[in-house]
Amino acid sequence: MIQIQVWADFECPYSYFQTIVLEKMQENYQDRVEIVWRAFELSPVEGNISPSQSYLSNFEGAKLEPIVADEKLKLLRPKFLTYTWLAQESVYFANSQGLSLKLARALFDAFFLNGLDISNEEVVMQIASQSGMNGQLLRQALDNGELTKHVMADEQEFKIYGFQGLPAMLIGEKDFSPKSFMPINGFKTFDELSAIIRSLNV
């Protein structure tokens, strides 16, 4: 089985696109590919801040990607950037229930299509529940602090691998040494990612 570990941020449009592609990979390869969510927050902030000009320029460039038209995504220009740590911890926890991509997609939709505040606990918990998560188990996991340790470790590993931006992926055979995994930086289309998977003889 091939494992794809993906680092992504909920305010990064290219991370959103990569999540959509990974959903399609999961549909097409099913039990031959496992997707594992890894966390990285591009712009950790307290409260809400206005997007920088560089962020907005990046967002406008992302809107030109073919996947936007193909998926009929009606992207809203973000009015604010916020603290996404709660969302990251929740999706990390969803790995254990096989729901990480479903929850990640729902959180991306909430931010980019509906303009919701995904730093708000009530919003995140509602989205998690709608995605099939057990809200009580998620709240317990969030409260005991273990998820925070895992997310911090993910961010440290991102730096160790020397990734320069998001999304970023490690692709290789599950249960093999991480050193054998192929590092991939930047958004990859379904065709590009499929070619990489085929090169690994899946």
Side-chain angles (χ1 to χ4, degrees), residues 62-71:
K63 287 170 63 178
L64 301 177
E65 290 286 339
I67 192 171
V68 175
D70 292 344
E71 296 293 321

Side-chain angles (χ1 to χ4, degrees), residues 89-123:
E89 289 190 3
S90 299
V91 177
Y92 184 94
F93 180 72
N95 279 324
S96 64
Q97 301 183 32
L99 292 170
S100 56
L101 277 187
K102 185 175 183 179
L103 178 55
R105 174 65 186 272
L107 287 164
F108 276 119
D109 286 348
F111 182 74
F112 281 110
L113 304 185
N114 300 311
L116 297 181
D117 182 356
I118 57 172
S119 70
N120 183 290
E121 183 174 349
E122 193 173 309
V123 170

Side-chain angles (χ1 to χ4, degrees), residues 131-152:
S131 299
M133 298 281 293
N134 182 310
Q136 185 176 357
L137 290 179
L138 174 58
R139 195 175 294 278
Q140 289 174 355
L142 290 168
D143 289 345
N144 69 24
E146 286 300 311
L147 294 178
T148 300
K149 295 178 184 178
H150 287 298
V151 170
M152 291 176 68

Side-chain angles (χ1 to χ4, degrees), residues 2 4 18-37 94-95 97-103 190 193-194 197:
I2 294 299
I4 302 176
Q18 196 65 74
T19 299
I20 295 171
V21 169
L22 289 173
E23 283 185 313
K24 295 182 183 299
M25 296 295 295
Q26 203 169 54
E27 291 171 7
N28 280 266
Y29 288 91
Q30 297 183 4
D31 59 356
R32 291 176 290 165
V33 170
E34 178 184 66
I35 313 295
V36 177
W37 184 270
N95 279 324
Q97 301 183 32
L99 292 170
S100 56
L101 277 187
K102 185 175 183 179
L103 178 55
F190 180 83
L193 201 50
S194 293
I197 295 295

Side-chain angles (χ1 to χ4, degrees), residues 44-198:
V45 297
E46 292 294 340
N48 296 343
I49 64 170
S50 298
S52 66
Q53 190 55 52
S54 62
Y55 176 90
L56 293 175
S57 295
N58 183 65
F59 175 76
E60 291 302 323
K63 287 170 63 178
L64 301 177
E65 290 286 339
I67 192 171
V68 175
D70 292 344
E71 296 293 321
K72 298 180 174 59
L73 300 176
K74 296 182 179 179
L75 300 175
L76 297 177
R77 180 171 168 150
K79 295 180 179 178
F80 61 86
L81 301 180
T82 189
Y83 192 57
T84 62
W85 196 269
L86 177 62
Q88 291 285 8
E89 289 190 3
S90 299
V91 177
Y92 184 94
F93 180 72
N95 279 324
S96 64
Q97 301 183 32
L99 292 170
S100 56
L101 277 187
K102 185 175 183 179
L103 178 55
R105 174 65 186 272
L107 287 164
F108 276 119
D109 286 348
F111 182 74
F112 281 110
L113 304 185
N114 300 311
L116 297 181
D117 182 356
I118 57 172
S119 70
N120 183 290
E121 183 174 349
E122 193 173 309
V123 170
V124 172
M125 294 301 293
Q126 182 177 7
I127 293 171
S129 177
Q130 292 170 346
S131 299
M133 298 281 293
N134 182 310
Q136 185 176 357
L137 290 179
L138 174 58
R139 195 175 294 278
Q140 289 174 355
L142 290 168
D143 289 345
N144 69 24
E146 286 300 311
L147 294 178
T148 300
K149 295 178 184 178
H150 287 298
V151 170
M152 291 176 68
D154 277 356
E155 296 208 342
Q156 187 59 36
E157 279 197 58
F158 178 92
K159 297 172 183 176
I160 290 172
Y161 284 114
F163 291 124
Q164 298 301 308
L166 295 176
M169 290 175 280
L170 286 178
I171 302 178
E173 291 192 48
K174 185 181 178 181
D175 300 328
F176 276 51
S177 167
K179 293 181 180 179
S180 69
F181 278 50
M182 180 189 306
I184 306 292
N185 219 138
F187 167 59
K188 301 299 176 189
T189 66
F190 180 83
D191 289 342
E192 289 170 332
L193 201 50
S194 293
I196 294 170
I197 295 295
R198 286 196 298 272

